[in-house]
Amino acid sequence: MKTMASSFNKMHILLFLVFATLTTMAQGQTRVGFYRTTCPTVETVVQGAVQSAFQTNPVVAPGLLRMFFHDCFVLGCDASVLLSGPSTERTAPPNLSLVGFEVIDAAKTQIEAACPGVVSCADILALAARDAVVLTNGTTWQVPTGRRDGLISQASATVNLPGFNDPISLQISKFVDKNLTIQDLVALVGGHTIGTAACAVFSYRLYNFSGTNQPDPDINSTFLPQLRALCPNGGNASVRVALDTGSVNSFDTSYFVNVRTGRGVLESDAKLMSNVTTRAFVQKFSGAPGVPQLNFNVEFAKSMVKLGNTELKIGSQGEIRRVCSAIN
């Protein structure tokens, strides 16, 4: 009986180990230093390309961060947002204002010259997003790499992207679908600390919210005239406004202070205060009095790593593109 029990236990342990291995393989794994031997200069090259572009046009920093977010939320972090052509993700309304494609292309060109066919465009974008945050005085973190580039890019798939007027319940649902928590949601939306939005995206809040011919009551009464001055009723809809008033070029926690005090520009940002859980994280990140604080930089970095592991393509899946805007 002891022998049978021992054999059973050994087989049980073996099956458990096999299952655990298969589960890990199925989930996919990236790792820090994936290109350490095959292309050791990759991070230096990407950093140089981002820094060069940033010195000419600082707008590329929030642009690259937003591009990474938009890529990962649609078909996973597979550089599908970089593909050009009819009905690709780039042609969808949420992506028409994306900037920074030329930065990724510049980095890819240099990397292909040094390490042809080795580094994915998806990994270049992940590294560039990190470097963009660093250049705006934000935190740094180690970026796990090893992604492969996707072969599909469809404009219709961008319905998965969180929208500027999504209610908080839908925002939470979209993040949970990507295995991201409510804390991840609030931390990642904190990337708006270096972003801007066109008047066309939020001016309805200033003049005719929900068909009332009145402003959104969630807007701070002293902030409303400032926004109206920037976006006059019937004015230039393409004018861009800082999502973090007073600190648009610095990656910091003032965005959360603004949201907490009714100075959120987007409706989706303002709605962070309408849910008890998201509101609690806004308060923790903003340093609200009497609330245990969370270090935004630390938590943002953790959430970016989680986001970057969304629906990975690894191993023989996808490909390593020679040019980021086209499949091989």
Side-chain angles (χ1 to χ4, degrees):
M1 293 294 291
K2 286 183 179 180
T3 302
M4 290 178 64
S6 176
S7 298
F8 177 81
N9 287 337
K10 287 179 180 178
M11 182 169 289
H12 185 268
I13 291 170
L14 178 62
L15 288 172
F16 173 80
L17 290 173
V18 170
F19 176 77
T21 301
L22 289 174
T23 300
T24 300
M25 289 172 64
Q27 289 176 340
Q29 293 292 323
T30 53
R31 69 175 188 270
V32 174
F34 183 85
Y35 300 111
R36 186 168 290 127
T37 57
T38 55
C39 193
T41 62
V42 59
E43 294 206 25
T44 303
V45 171
V46 174
Q47 184 181 50
V50 175
Q51 187 168 14
S52 177
F54 179 77
Q55 289 172 345
T56 303
N57 182 12
V59 169
V60 301
L64 290 168
L65 181 57
R66 183 168 177 249
M67 188 187 296
F68 177 69
F69 184 92
H70 281 217
D71 181 45
C72 291
F73 250 84
V74 182
L75 305 176
C77 306
D78 64 351
S80 56
V81 74
L82 302 178
L83 289 172
S84 296
S87 301
T88 57
E89 291 172 39
R90 284 173 74 159
T91 68
N95 290 332
L96 292 177
S97 59
L98 289 180
V99 297
F101 292 103
E102 73 285 352
V103 183
I104 305 301
D105 291 340
K108 179 64 170 174
T109 298
Q110 294 178 62
I111 290 167
E112 281 297 301
C115 320
V118 172
V119 180
S120 69
C121 298
D123 280 340
I124 293 172
L125 180 53
L127 292 167
R130 186 270 312 274
D131 295 338
V133 170
V134 172
L135 285 170
T136 52
N137 302 316
T139 187
T140 189
W141 62 92
Q142 290 188 306
V143 177
T145 47
R147 302 165 187 80
R148 287 173 67 85
D149 298 323
L151 303 172
I152 299 171
S153 182
Q154 299 172 332
S156 59
T158 59
V159 294
N160 294 327
L161 288 170
F164 61 85
N165 58 353
D166 281 351
I168 193 63
S169 58
L170 183 55
Q171 292 185 58
I172 292 171
S173 176
K174 287 180 176 180
F175 275 75
V176 169
D177 285 346
K178 300 298 179 183
N179 293 317
L180 296 167
T181 67
I182 295 178
Q183 178 176 324
D184 293 324
L185 184 164
V186 180
L188 290 169
V189 171
H192 286 172
T193 180
I194 55 171
T196 62
C199 290
V201 174
F202 65 89
S203 59
Y204 68 94
R205 299 185 68 209
L206 312 181
Y207 303 100
N208 187 24
F209 183 67
S210 297
T212 61
N213 287 318
Q214 297 295 322
D216 185 343
D218 288 337
I219 302 176
N220 185 302
S221 59
T222 62
F223 188 46
L224 179 62
Q226 295 179 45
L227 290 179
R228 283 180 165 175
L230 294 168
C231 301
N233 198 7
N236 188 345
S238 64
V239 170
R240 302 195 69 83
V241 174
L243 294 174
D244 184 2
T245 304
S247 185
V248 66
N249 294 317
S250 182
F251 198 93
D252 54 30
T253 59
S254 63
Y255 162 80
F256 293 108
V257 176
N258 283 330
V259 169
R260 194 184 82 216
T261 56
R263 298 168 68 87
V265 175
L266 300 181
E267 182 181 356
S268 57
D269 289 352
K271 292 303 182 188
L272 293 175
M273 296 300 290
S274 69
N275 173 280
V276 63
T277 308
T278 54
R279 180 169 64 247
F281 284 117
V282 170
Q283 292 170 333
K284 290 176 180 180
F285 286 137
S286 67
V291 176
Q293 295 186 27
L294 273 175
N295 187 308
F296 170 52
N297 276 313
V298 170
E299 301 306 324
F300 179 83
K302 291 179 183 177
S303 294
M304 282 291 284
V305 172
K306 287 180 66 177
L307 174 65
N309 281 323
T310 300
E311 301 174 49
L312 290 180
K313 295 170 180 63
I314 60 166
S316 61
Q317 299 171 322
E319 65 180 7
I320 303 298
R321 285 184 216 144
R322 290 187 291 270
V323 177
C324 290
S325 59
I327 60 174
N328 294 341

